[in-house]
């Protein structure tokens, strides 16, 4: 290991915005960390890849996404004329071979893609930028999110608004799941529980979003004149502290919900009826 000591400037650039300093501690090693720092980015990459491959496969199936009264969250709101079931207004004319999920998934996909937490996760897992704290990244230059295409990450707040509309629809789907096959109310199966948990987790994910926290409590000079917003900001802040965990659980549950409906619709399993 070779270490060159920095000079008295502490490695700061002479001119703000000027060229990067060259007098920082120089290490030949990529990191001095002795722990298994690579485990977290490796697990992140594996889980994200599994989900993306599964969701892409499911979106192209264009079948087995509806089993009365349940609909997969990957196909909801089912807005196309070729949709199975009648859980939403079907106004978009699509040929029978075209999967409506390819349109629907744009919103939740973009919401997750631009999420502040997922950005950290996939920047580390796939771009190694950087792969972990105190581990040098392989890239020589850093442009941040100040230019195309990464500047588009700033659209996150707008995806939050759209995803909130999707949450309302998925909550409606969960309510519809309290019907039986003939449409009579007052019934509940395991699928109902799966859809209810799915909607609750998606609300938790949206309400714990950093943009939500800013919308609720940001741009205020003081909270004393806005007690209601302060109260909501407190609730959202508590959820926000768990945003990473909620992001993972809700992602996995969306995949599980689709799988459950898919297995029912294909006749592989039967729904467990509680009443
Ligand atoms: S920061 Fe993760 S959803 Fe907004």
């Amino acid at each position: 290991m070779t270490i060159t000591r920095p000079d008295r400037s502490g490695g700061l650039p002479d001119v703000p915005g000027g060229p990067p300093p060259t007098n920082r501690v120089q290490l030949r090693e990529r990191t001095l960390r002795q722990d298994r720092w690579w485990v977290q980015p490796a697990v992140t990459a594996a889980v994200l890849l599994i989900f993306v491959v599964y969701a892409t496969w499911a979106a192209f199936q264009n079948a087995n996404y509806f089993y009365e009264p349940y609909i997969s969250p990957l196909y909801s709101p089912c807005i196309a004329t070729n949709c199975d079931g009648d859980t939403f207004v079907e106004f978009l004319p699509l040929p029978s071979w075209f999967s409506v999920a390819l349109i629907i998934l744009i919103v939740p996909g973009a919401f997750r893609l631009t999420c502040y937490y997922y950005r950290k996760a996939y920047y580390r897992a796939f771009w190694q930028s950087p792969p972990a704290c105190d581990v040098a990244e392989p890239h020589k230059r850093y442009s941040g999110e100040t230019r195309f295409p990464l500047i588009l990450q700033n659209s996150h707040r707008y995806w939050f608004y759209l995803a909130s509309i999707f949450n309302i629809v998925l909550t409606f789907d969960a309510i519809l799941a309290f019907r039986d096959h003939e449409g009579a109310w007052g019934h509940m199966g395991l699928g109902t529980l799966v859809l209810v948990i799915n909607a609750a987790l998606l609300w938790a994910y949206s309400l714990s979003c950093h943009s939500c926290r800013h919308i609720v409590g940001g741009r205020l000079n003081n909270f004393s004149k806005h007690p209601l917003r302060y109260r909501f900001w407190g609730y959202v802040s508590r959820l926000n502290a768990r945003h990473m965990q909620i992001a993972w659980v809700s992602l996995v549950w969306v995949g599980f919900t689709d799988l459950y409906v898919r297995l029912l619709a294909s006749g592989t399993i039967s729904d467990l009826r509680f009443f």
Side-chain angles (χ1 to χ4, degrees):
M1 173 173 51
T2 306
I3 299 179
T4 308
R5 296 188 67 79
D7 67 8
R8 285 190 192 167
S9 70
L12 295 172
D14 292 330
V15 182
T22 55
N23 50 3
R24 287 183 174 156
V25 173
Q26 302 294 315
L27 302 177
R28 282 186 203 283
E29 292 75 11
R30 196 172 170 201
T31 182
L32 298 180
R33 284 180 66 166
Q34 307 270 314
D35 61 330
R36 288 186 289 175
W37 55 265
W38 47 269
V39 170
Q40 193 173 6
V43 171
T44 301
V47 177
L48 282 178
L49 267 177
I50 290 170
F51 180 82
V52 169
V53 169
Y54 175 79
T56 306
W57 172 82
F60 274 99
Q61 291 305 298
N62 197 22
N64 294 331
Y65 57 84
F66 180 75
Y67 177 81
E68 187 75 46
Y70 312 136
I71 185 164
S72 160
L74 301 185
Y75 283 79
S76 182
C78 214
I79 52 173
T81 48
N82 65 5
C83 282
D84 291 342
D86 57 348
T87 54
F88 202 79
V89 184
E90 299 170 359
F91 61 87
L92 187 67
L94 285 182
S96 58
W97 52 266
F98 192 92
S99 172
V100 68
L102 298 176
I103 298 172
I104 291 166
L105 288 180
I106 291 173
V107 171
F111 184 45
R112 298 250 173 190
L113 193 71
T114 56
C115 162
Y116 289 90
Y117 165 66
Y118 280 117
R119 271 142 78 172
K120 172 189 148 187
Y122 67 77
Y123 285 170
R124 289 187 169 192
F126 295 112
W127 286 336
Q128 303 193 3
S129 180
C133 293
D134 271 342
V135 180
E137 56 183 296
H139 315 289
K140 290 206 168 43
R141 298 187 56 200
Y142 173 76
S143 65
E145 296 171 338
T146 56
R147 53 181 98 137
F148 186 81
L150 291 184
I151 198 169
L152 295 178
Q153 302 279 32
N154 292 312
S155 61
H156 183 63
R157 164 179 294 234
Y158 304 104
W159 295 115
F160 164 80
Y161 293 133
L162 288 173
S164 298
I165 297 172
F166 274 53
N167 288 348
I168 294 170
V169 174
L170 293 176
T171 304
F172 187 62
D173 290 343
I175 293 171
L176 291 181
F178 283 92
R179 299 176 306 171
D180 67 5
H181 289 285
E182 279 78 46
W185 289 94
H187 297 269
M188 183 178 182
L190 184 56
T192 314
L193 190 61
V194 171
L195 261 67
V196 167
I197 294 175
N198 184 60
L201 286 173
L202 290 176
W203 274 116
Y205 177 60
S206 293
L207 292 173
S208 64
C209 166
H210 296 274
S211 289
C212 176
R213 186 167 179 258
H214 184 257
I215 291 164
V216 171
R219 304 171 79 94
L220 294 177
N221 288 331
N222 56 61
F223 276 126
S224 58
K225 291 183 183 157
H226 305 274
L228 201 58
R229 286 184 68 178
Y230 177 63
R231 178 173 294 195
F232 281 128
W233 179 81
Y235 295 144
V236 169
S237 295
R238 257 176 266 159
L239 270 179
N240 180 255
R242 297 256 175 271
H243 189 57
M244 178 183 78
Q245 292 88 342
I246 297 170
W248 284 115
V249 175
S250 60
L251 185 81
V252 171
W253 200 266
V254 165
F256 173 72
T257 306
D258 176 84
L259 181 64
Y260 187 76
V261 175
R262 192 165 293 283
L263 292 175
L264 287 175
S266 61
T268 311
I269 60 171
S270 336
D271 191 30
L272 178 65
R273 282 277 156 174
F274 301 136
F275 54 85

